[in-house]
Amino acid sequence: MKNVFISCLLLSFAGLQSCKNNESKKAEATVIEKPISTQCYKATYENDIIDLKVNTLKNEKVSGNMIMKVAGAAERSGEIAGKFHGDTLFVDYTFTEGANKTKTFKNPMALLKKDSKLILGNGKMQTTMGVTYLVKDQPIDFERVKYKFEPVECSDKTQK
């Protein structure tokens, strides 16, 4: 009986140590990476304006923020995170709409880098188990698009 108690006690300590290791790994993962470079862009189409800030990180990863002011819709403001695959930047745009800052949305986006511009593509999206993504093996149209981003000076609005 004493051996069973000691065995259970040792397993408990091993489990607690394992939890402690997971906490330290989580803390390491939340370290904010410094950008290698930062570029700001602006796209306009009729009365729509989109401001985009792209921070290039290591391994072709990117982070940044985007503010979308689309006529007839609430302003969207949020962050982008993703990675370049060749000349195409695939990001997830996590944003809030209008005054409601408690509910967040997440949409995938594909931006083609052509010269110094970024072109927001149109692709077929699918939602599975609450996650929206661009459908693989389906082409993304970068020709018939509304938003072509031109490089601009970064301003206080895009410096979030």
Side-chain angles (χ1 to χ4, degrees), residues 17-19 31 54 64 71 73 77 88 96 100 109 111 118-119 127 129 131 157-158:
Q17 184 62 32
S18 174
C19 290
V31 173
V54 177
S77 179
T88 307
T96 58
N100 185 0
M109 294 182 159
L111 298 125
L118 291 175
I119 301 167
T127 303
M129 296 180 67
V131 177
K157 268 195 228 179
T158 56

Side-chain angles (χ1 to χ4, degrees), residues 8-21:
C8 289
L9 190 61
L10 287 174
L11 285 173
S12 297
F13 284 132
L16 288 174
Q17 184 62 32
S18 174
C19 290
K20 200 174 203 181
N21 288 341

Side-chain angles (χ1 to χ4, degrees), residues 74-77 95-105:
E75 180 177 302
R76 294 177 179 175
S77 179
F95 62 94
T96 58
E97 264 185 335
N100 185 0
K101 302 297 180 195
T102 57
K103 187 173 182 180
T104 59
F105 302 91

Side-chain angles (χ1 to χ4, degrees), residues 32-35 37-39 52-57 60-65 79-83 89 91:
I32 297 173
E33 193 174 336
K34 281 195 160 195
S37 66
T38 299
Q39 177 63 55
L52 173 64
K53 177 182 173 187
V54 177
N55 299 312
T56 303
L57 310 171
E60 298 185 5
K61 290 184 180 180
V62 299
S63 68
N65 58 58
E79 297 180 352
I80 63 163
K83 187 173 182 175
L89 173 60
V91 296

Side-chain angles (χ1 to χ4, degrees), residues 33-154:
E33 193 174 336
K34 281 195 160 195
I36 296 169
S37 66
T38 299
Q39 177 63 55
C40 294
Y41 298 89
K42 182 182 281 291
T44 57
Y45 177 79
E46 295 176 352
N47 294 326
D48 303 347
I49 299 172
I50 304 176
D51 291 306
L52 173 64
K53 177 182 173 187
V54 177
N55 299 312
T56 303
L57 310 171
K58 294 178 184 177
N59 302 325
E60 298 185 5
K61 290 184 180 180
V62 299
S63 68
N65 58 58
M66 184 162 53
I67 300 169
M68 298 180 76
K69 297 175 186 171
V70 177
E75 180 177 302
R76 294 177 179 175
S77 179
E79 297 180 352
I80 63 163
K83 187 173 182 175
F84 270 100
H85 294 275
D87 59 356
T88 307
L89 173 60
F90 291 94
V91 296
D92 284 321
Y93 178 42
T94 305
F95 62 94
T96 58
E97 264 185 335
N100 185 0
K101 302 297 180 195
T102 57
K103 187 173 182 180
T104 59
F105 302 91
K106 191 173 191 175
N107 281 343
M109 294 182 159
L111 298 125
L112 177 67
K113 186 162 188 161
K114 194 171 188 179
D115 301 321
S116 61
K117 299 175 185 176
L118 291 175
I119 301 167
L120 180 59
N122 295 317
K124 186 175 182 181
M125 290 196 268
Q126 182 174 341
T127 303
T128 303
M129 296 180 67
V131 177
T132 304
Y133 58 92
L134 292 165
V135 178
K136 290 184 180 187
D137 302 325
Q138 291 289 320
I140 298 172
D141 180 13
F142 292 105
E143 296 297 321
R144 296 173 304 196
V145 297
K146 289 183 182 179
Y147 304 113
K148 294 183 180 182
F149 292 86
E150 300 279 342
V152 296
E153 282 290 319
C154 291

